[in-house]
Amino acid sequence: MTYPQDPRAAVTALAGSVAPYLLGVRHHSPALAAAVPALLDACGAEVVCVELPADFQPWLLHLAAPGTVAPVALAGAGANGRLGFYPFADFSPELAAVRWARERGAEVVCCDLPMSDPRWTAEGPLPSGDTRTAVAEEVPVAAAVSFGNALAAAGTGRDGDDLWDRCVEVLAPGSTPEAIRRAALGVGWALRSDAEASGGTPALDLAREAHMRGTIARAGLDGRRVAAVVGAFHAPALTDTVHPDASATAPGALVPGTGSAAPDRRPGPKHPDVVTSLVPYAFDLLDSRSGYPAGIRDPRWQQAVFRAGGDPAQVRDAAARAITDVVRELRAAGHPAGTGEAAETLRMAGDLARVRGLAAPGRGEIVEALTSVMGQGEPLGRGRALAKALEVVLVGTDRGRIAPGTPRSGLGPCVEAEVAALRLPGPEDPAAREVRLDPLRSDLDGRREVLLQRLAVCGAGYGEAVAVAGTGDGSALTTRWRVTWAPAVPVRLDLAGMRGVTPALAAEGTLRETFRRETADGGPTCALVLAALGAAARCDLPALVSERLADAEVLFPASATLPELLGALDLLEALCRGHLPGTTPDTRRAAAGLADDLLEAAVRSLPGLAGSDRPEDTAALVELASRAGEHRLGLRMDDALASLARTGSPLVQGAALAARVLLDLDDATVLGARTAGWIDTATSPEARQALSRRLGGLLGGAAALLQSAPTALDPLLDRIDTLTDQGFLDRLPALRGGFDTLTPAGRDRLLHTVTERLGDRPDLSLTASPRLLALWTAADAAGRATVQALGLPTGTDAVRAKTTGSHAAPALGEQPPAAPARPATTAAATLADGPRLTPTDRWRLLLGRETDKLPQNARRYAHALDELYGAGRGEGSRRTSAARAVPRVRAAAGRPPSRRPATGPRSWRRCSGPRSARRCWPAPPTRAAATSWPNSTPPRSGRRWTC
């Protein structure tokens, strides 16, 4: 097409068009929305053509209904995958035109290309969203003469300024409706001219405009006056002054000089069906920063400008209210702000408007004044609080609703149809059901899994994931869900429907909004990107997966910790193998390349673990060693692991030693010898604490080695066996703390291995000759006869007399001997009177297993250790049925249930009742005080204390 190069002449020609009467708009424009009724009254339109796909024609009646409260949205989804979303607010000119037509009895026609037309995707798939042209977003390639750049320079001149806002919106207060219309047509003509001069208009826009011309021509065939409410960018293409070779031969185009439409003689193809709906919407989704491409900044402020109706005084009042609300939000957040700051901000906004020749301050002037006065030059701290206050005040969270009687549509019916097709519980069968899915082997299960993940992201409350354990260290490939169609599900679906009318759209909208909000709160963190990437993949959203992969490529190599890097590697491996649905060949290649980079970054991050005292880091170190073995990176890690084993914190030293053994950089013999050396040097409280941490780091990755490698376990067995009782009890709390890293089931397995190695049974093998054994037996018999002849106790009688201290009764009239003073009891003394702790009993104590097989004088140590460390976590940590049956047995025997918990910490219970009946429950020893056990007897439950 060709246009006059004189801007004034071009705008005059566009404004003077009668067939059709042109209203060039931006699809969210408070200035034009307020002026549309007066402009349509002035032109006397009998037919109003609005830029909407023809598929939405049946919804216009409900859109204009008095009970419909904006914001609302028209949405469509085609069988060809085409998706469209068209939000409306009170300040949308098209909605104002539809409402005017209803009040005046005029006809409204949707004149845009139907969504089912294949030309929408002829040049490749388009992103879902509003396909109406937003002239503020049009950025043409630089041309020889750029009218758009000239208009932008005439405003504030700042980079990134909203061209439409500076040329139309801020100039509208105090202007006539016709002046606003001409300004809007001028902006559209400038952008169109720049596009024509720098490469031409896209083919899709030309096809849409040809369809618009045909629809407008047919609407005016009987002489009715037609008004076209279309994007300002398209307005120059809808007049009857068009270049012949550009559009005269296009079907539906106006034939120059006739005013009629060229007939469409092409065979009419069968287009796929389109499902349309009218759903409520929200201001926070209408904001352009939410991801909506044709959105507008600060919808709540735009609503206030629309209500002002172009009156400068009312716009100034709206600005004063907005500034006051910002001050209120700042004060609520704990920042100082008051009437002085509010008055100064309003004064500055008004001054900026006057300097720029504006009748009232616009959005830009208000934001500048607030930033200068309230922000005080702080990008963080107060500046971040100001940004949150501006989001509340200028963006808002207003919600729309559809009129009563409107046909039900949107996300709810779509979900009901999908759950019925997938044979899941729905409105007709709401009973709860537990399903186990195998999405990698069954296409039906795959579609079920994707739907359940999408509904979970939307917060529909339909399905609850049940944990499934994998085999060994692998992750489970099947999933379990507990699904039910509860009464709250339809309500939650209506709420989630504001973000999309299909489960895919709603899930994508929810994930985008969640990511945007969390990014605004604390910046894009590695954990946030990783969670968003996994959710997008599980919901089968390839476009969103590509975006989050791009974020991960920038963020992870530079700032991720080792656990985060390994978590990302697990997720990327699942993407590369196709275990998650939201992948394409391109994303799988990108994931594979990123995985290589992250593995390199993980190896480089090893020196940074030297001072770590977090179990998560040590577990990640061992996991990295396993991955490095698969990728043959052991030699590259040799120096770093050797340095960590020498100079790292005790926890890291143990994990580094385990990693070196796993990578075959050290032999298992070194592990056993090093562990035995740690036990030997644990002679002080600090050394024993270091022993506990080293064992915790070591066992986090090398527990299996102790069970399978004799060379690793034998030195440890020897060292535990050769310690004296005093030396063993000195180290017992530290040893138990280190082995507490293992799960209860893991300690059971290790104890089984130890008892097999030690031989927990009498050694019945006889190596002496029968003759020598006979001599020994005769000597034993002679010794026993001699002891009995002297009247001395023998056998069990001797043990009982020694332990009870019993003596012969005194003669009648004699004074009984005075009881000797009881010496201070130590841990070693409590065992001095009994047999020495066997190696197996020692292992039972330090592993906290099979305590019922311990001798009576050692059980209180096991009890105290259980009080200190608990029963353990992970596999095998649940109490057995026998333990759960104890309260029932006590009750059946007529005894009250015990007040003491089976495991776990206790606190002091205050004494009550008569002094003779008082009973105190002692608190367990702290970990720091555990090293003092050798010098004092550990507390025994049920001991009677003097209060």
Side-chain angles (χ1 to χ4, degrees):
M1 300 178 187
T2 59
Y3 306 102
Q5 286 300 303
D6 181 10
R8 292 183 177 83
V11 172
T12 299
L14 291 173
S17 175
V18 177
Y21 179 79
L22 293 175
L23 275 172
V25 301
R26 182 169 73 169
H27 301 288
H28 303 294
S29 169
L32 270 171
V36 159
L39 292 170
L40 292 177
D41 282 335
C43 75
E46 299 171 276
V47 181
V48 178
C49 293
V50 293
E51 186 188 328
L52 280 173
D55 312 85
F56 296 117
Q57 188 70 39
W59 289 105
L60 295 183
L61 177 64
H62 305 288
L63 181 63
T68 298
V69 178
V72 294
L74 288 170
N80 58 356
R82 169 93 183 101
L83 302 173
F85 216 66
Y86 300 83
F88 296 92
D90 289 331
F91 49 83
S92 298
E94 297 98 328
L95 181 57
V98 172
R99 288 173 172 174
W100 176 91
R102 179 186 176 278
E103 294 174 358
R104 301 298 193 274
E107 182 183 357
V108 183
V109 178
C110 297
C111 64
D112 204 352
L113 196 66
M115 290 183 60
S116 56
D117 194 292
R119 284 173 288 182
W120 280 109
T121 55
E123 298 178 356
L126 295 173
S128 60
D130 191 340
T131 54
R132 299 171 295 180
T133 304
V135 297
E137 305 299 328
E138 293 285 346
V139 184
V141 182
V145 178
S146 176
F147 294 101
N149 291 341
L151 285 175
T156 62
R158 293 189 301 260
D159 292 337
D161 249 356
D162 186 338
L163 178 61
W164 180 274
D165 182 72
R166 306 317 301 179
C167 294
V168 179
E169 301 297 331
V170 298
L171 299 176
S175 302
T176 64
E178 180 61 23
I180 298 173
R181 181 175 83 102
R182 294 175 67 92
L185 290 172
V187 172
W189 175 87
L191 294 174
R192 183 76 180 212
S193 299
D194 290 350
E196 291 290 340
S198 59
T201 306
L204 175 59
D205 284 334
L206 293 177
R208 294 173 60 198
E209 289 160 359
H211 185 86
M212 292 180 197
R213 287 193 295 271
T215 303
I216 292 170
R218 287 189 293 273
L221 284 178
D222 54 358
R224 294 186 298 175
R225 292 185 294 275
V226 179
V229 183
V230 298
F233 181 84
H234 300 299
L238 303 185
T239 64
D240 56 1
T241 308
V242 294
H243 198 279
D245 59 3
S247 59
T249 58
L254 292 176
V255 177
T258 66
S260 60
D264 188 356
R265 296 185 175 87
R266 295 175 302 172
K270 177 63 177 177
H271 297 325
D273 295 333
V274 174
V275 178
T276 59
S277 56
L278 175 63
V279 296
Y281 211 56
F283 271 178
D284 53 336
L285 302 177
L286 197 61
D287 189 84
S288 59
R289 288 160 290 192
S290 70
Y292 170 41
I296 191 172
R297 288 290 183 96
D298 303 326
R300 191 175 179 187
W301 165 252
Q302 307 295 345
Q303 182 79 5
V305 174
F306 167 75
R307 290 173 179 167
D311 184 354
Q314 292 191 37
V315 175
R316 287 192 290 269
D317 291 343
R321 287 193 298 271
I323 293 171
T324 303
D325 290 342
V326 170
V327 170
R328 184 179 295 111
E329 292 294 329
L330 283 175
R331 290 175 65 88
H335 293 270
T339 55
E341 288 87 350
E344 178 61 20
T345 303
L346 183 60
R347 182 200 63 77
M348 183 176 182
D351 290 347
L352 288 172
R354 283 188 289 273
V355 167
R356 294 166 183 168
L358 306 178
R363 172 190 167 276
E365 286 69 35
I366 293 175
V367 172
E368 287 183 54
L370 284 167
T371 304
S372 300
V373 178
M374 302 289 186
Q376 300 176 359
E378 298 182 22
L380 302 176
R382 187 178 177 89
R384 183 166 292 176
L386 177 61
K388 292 183 178 179
L390 288 175
E391 181 176 0
V392 172
V393 174
L394 299 184
V395 176
T397 57
D398 297 22
R399 298 290 191 268
R401 64 176 183 269
I402 58 178
T406 303
R408 187 163 179 259
S409 63
L411 183 60
C414 182
V415 170
E416 292 176 10
E418 287 203 33
V419 297
L422 297 176
R423 301 195 294 276
L424 291 171
E428 304 298 329
D429 179 23
R433 189 194 314 169
E434 187 168 297
V435 295
R436 191 178 191 99
L437 305 179
D438 192 351
L440 297 181
R441 294 187 178 94
S442 169
D443 179 66
L444 176 62
D445 283 357
R447 290 185 286 127
R448 286 175 169 177
E449 176 72 17
V450 170
L451 177 62
L452 292 173
Q453 291 286 356
R454 289 171 175 174
L455 294 181
V457 164
C458 296
Y462 175 70
E464 178 186 0
V466 180
V468 178
T471 303
D473 294 334
S475 58
L477 297 180
T478 60
T479 61
R480 287 173 58 197
W481 291 83
R482 190 176 295 110
V483 295
T484 180
W485 189 271
V489 171
V491 179
R492 294 183 176 183
L493 289 177
D494 289 341
L495 183 63
M498 290 186 295
R499 303 189 184 278
V501 294
T502 66
L505 281 177
E508 182 174 355
T510 301
L511 290 175
R512 289 186 183 277
E513 178 63 14
T514 301
F515 187 80
R516 184 190 69 82
R517 288 186 179 276
E518 293 180 352
T519 300
D521 287 341
T525 62
C526 294
L528 173 60
V529 173
L530 185 61
L533 176 59
R538 288 187 293 271
C539 292
D540 194 10
L541 303 172
L544 198 56
V545 169
S546 298
E547 294 181 21
R548 297 291 87 87
L549 274 177
D551 295 335
E553 289 176 356
V554 175
L555 190 61
F556 271 76
S559 58
T561 63
L562 183 57
E564 289 172 340
L565 288 171
L566 293 176
L569 286 171
D570 288 337
L571 179 57
L572 293 174
E573 183 178 358
L575 292 176
C576 294
R577 294 182 176 181
H579 291 172
L580 296 176
T583 59
T584 63
D586 291 338
T587 55
R588 285 193 287 271
R589 284 192 294 270
L594 179 58
D596 294 338
D597 295 339
L598 295 189
L599 190 59
E600 296 284 343
V603 174
R604 292 196 302 268
S605 69
L606 285 180
L609 298 180
S612 175
D613 203 34
R614 299 193 311 162
E616 297 85 357
D617 288 337
T618 58
L621 177 59
V622 175
E623 183 181 348
L624 177 60
S626 301
R627 287 185 176 274
E630 297 173 3
H631 293 81
R632 300 180 181 179
L633 296 177
L635 294 178
R636 294 187 53 188
M637 297 178 61
D638 186 1
D639 182 66
L641 291 176
S643 177
L644 291 177
R646 292 192 310 271
T647 63
S649 65
L651 190 68
V652 173
Q653 287 181 8
L657 178 59
R660 290 185 62 83
V661 175
L662 291 175
L663 290 173
D664 288 334
L665 299 175
D666 283 337
D667 191 74
T669 307
V670 176
L671 185 148
R674 188 76 61 87
T675 307
W678 294 341
I679 296 175
D680 286 340
T681 57
T683 57
S684 65
E686 294 78 10
R688 289 193 285 270
Q689 185 177 8
L691 168 64
S692 178
R693 303 298 288 172
R694 289 190 180 103
L695 284 176
L698 174 68
L699 295 172
L705 286 174
L706 295 180
Q707 301 177 36
S708 60
T711 56
L713 183 60
D714 286 345
L716 192 57
L717 292 174
D718 293 341
R719 192 64 74 249
I720 296 297
D721 187 18
T722 56
L723 286 172
T724 64
D725 284 344
Q726 178 70 46
F728 173 73
L729 293 174
D730 285 347
R731 296 163 174 81
L732 178 57
L735 291 170
R736 173 64 184 275
F739 280 93
D740 192 59
T741 303
L742 302 177
T743 64
R747 283 183 271 148
D748 282 334
R749 290 189 290 268
L750 182 57
L751 180 60
H752 179 72
T753 302
V754 169
T755 54
E756 283 187 346
R757 299 291 303 280
L758 293 176
D760 187 21
R761 56 185 62 86
D763 187 3
L764 301 179
S765 59
L766 301 176
T767 58
S769 65
R771 184 186 299 275
L772 183 58
L773 290 175
L775 292 175
W776 288 348
T777 303
D780 288 341
R784 180 182 181 84
T786 303
V787 170
Q788 289 177 345
L790 295 174
L792 298 176
T794 60
T796 57
D797 293 336
V799 175
R800 186 179 302 110
K802 185 175 182 179
T803 56
T804 61
S806 61
H807 301 279
L812 184 63
E814 294 183 2
Q815 294 293 332
R822 184 174 181 178
T825 306
T826 64
T830 60
L831 292 174
D833 295 338
R836 179 180 180 272
L837 281 173
T838 65
T840 303
D841 289 339
R842 294 187 177 193
W843 279 95
R844 287 171 179 150
L845 282 172
L846 65 88
L847 291 176
R849 313 306 293 171
E850 296 184 2
T851 55
D852 56 323
K853 297 181 180 179
L854 290 169
Q856 191 66 34
N857 58 348
R859 290 186 183 181
R860 54 180 170 175
Y861 296 101
H863 175 71
L865 288 168
D866 287 342
E867 294 279 356
L868 182 62
Y869 293 103
R873 299 167 299 277
E875 182 186 4
S877 61
R878 297 183 61 184
R879 292 195 300 170
T880 63
S881 59
R884 289 194 296 270
V886 168
R888 296 194 294 271
V889 173
R890 292 179 63 90
R895 292 177 291 173
S898 174
R899 293 180 297 173
R900 295 172 48 208
T903 58
R906 297 180 306 178
S907 59
W908 286 92
R909 190 182 298 277
R910 184 174 178 80
C911 298
S912 61
R915 180 177 297 274
S916 60
R918 291 185 183 180
R919 198 179 187 109
C920 291
W921 294 100
T926 62
R927 296 176 185 245
T931 55
S932 64
W933 286 7
N935 301 319
S936 63
T937 304
R940 293 178 293 181
S941 61
R943 172 180 296 166
R944 209 177 283 276
W945 298 84
T946 301
C947 299

